[in-house]
Amino acid sequence: LAQDSIAQLEAAADAASATADEISQQAQAWQETMQTKASAHEQAVQNAKATADAMLANIQPNQVATSQKEAVQSAWGYVDEVRKSLADGTVSQSEMTAIAQSGANASASLKAKGGPQLQGLASNIDALTKQLAQGDIQQAQRTLQQVTAGLPAQPSRGSRSR
């Protein structure tokens, strides 16, 4: 009876050991799969950032303000464009293109006509555009708050023609 019990215990121990080995192999395979997926994701993020940087490098200002008032209006137009795009929590490619152009114009306008107190906001606008292009929405929202806080009150746009 004792030998039967010992044989049963040894069989159970062998089965448990085999199961533990199998689980260990599965865990190692899962870990390797997850590391591969994480590496692929990181590479995709880096590629997206490089693509965004390349796109932004090709955007040149096409409308530069001729007065400080116009520079402020351009900056507020940019802020409005960003807010509108962020309303749904994502930025589409067409929205990003519009933001990039508006940002290039606002940044160049502030650099040219913003005066010493507003020229520094140009770098915030450039950073905000880059954050949006790279998909860093949370940081972009913080930078948007900084840009908005740094701008003087939105100037009136005068009467609009009908």
Side-chain angles (χ1 to χ4, degrees):
L1 187 64
Q3 286 185 349
D4 284 343
S5 294
I6 291 173
Q8 287 176 346
L9 287 174
E10 286 176 348
D14 289 343
S17 179
T19 300
D21 288 344
E22 183 179 324
I23 290 171
S24 177
Q25 289 172 355
Q26 285 177 346
Q28 185 173 359
W30 288 336
Q31 182 180 12
E32 289 170 5
T33 299
M34 294 310 294
Q35 286 173 338
T36 300
K37 286 182 179 184
S39 293
H41 176 72
E42 181 61 30
Q43 186 61 47
V45 168
Q46 293 305 318
N47 290 344
K49 287 182 178 185
T51 300
D53 290 346
M55 180 199 77
L56 294 178
N58 290 324
I59 302 286
Q60 298 300 317
N62 61 12
Q63 188 175 7
V64 180
T66 58
S67 70
Q68 188 176 47
K69 180 180 178 181
E70 287 179 7
V72 171
Q73 286 174 332
S74 179
W76 276 111
Y78 170 77
V79 166
D80 291 343
E81 189 78 39
V82 170
R83 284 179 175 160
K84 181 179 72 173
S85 297
L86 287 176
D88 64 358
T90 63
V91 179
S92 71
Q93 184 64 39
S94 62
E95 289 171 330
M96 190 62 239
T97 301
I99 287 169
Q101 187 62 64
S102 181
N105 292 342
S107 179
S109 294
L110 289 173
K111 288 174 185 171
K113 297 293 179 178
Q117 69 274 24
L118 296 177
Q119 287 177 346
L121 283 177
S123 62
N124 289 53
I125 286 173
D126 295 339
L128 174 54
T129 303
K130 185 174 183 174
Q131 291 159 358
L132 289 168
Q134 293 180 347
D136 191 353
I137 302 298
Q138 289 181 340
Q139 183 59 45
Q141 289 173 329
R142 288 189 287 272
T143 305
L144 177 61
Q145 290 174 344
Q146 292 172 347
V147 169
T148 303
L151 284 173
Q154 193 164 8
S156 66
R157 297 181 181 194
S159 59
R160 297 185 180 183
S161 43
R162 295 178 191 236

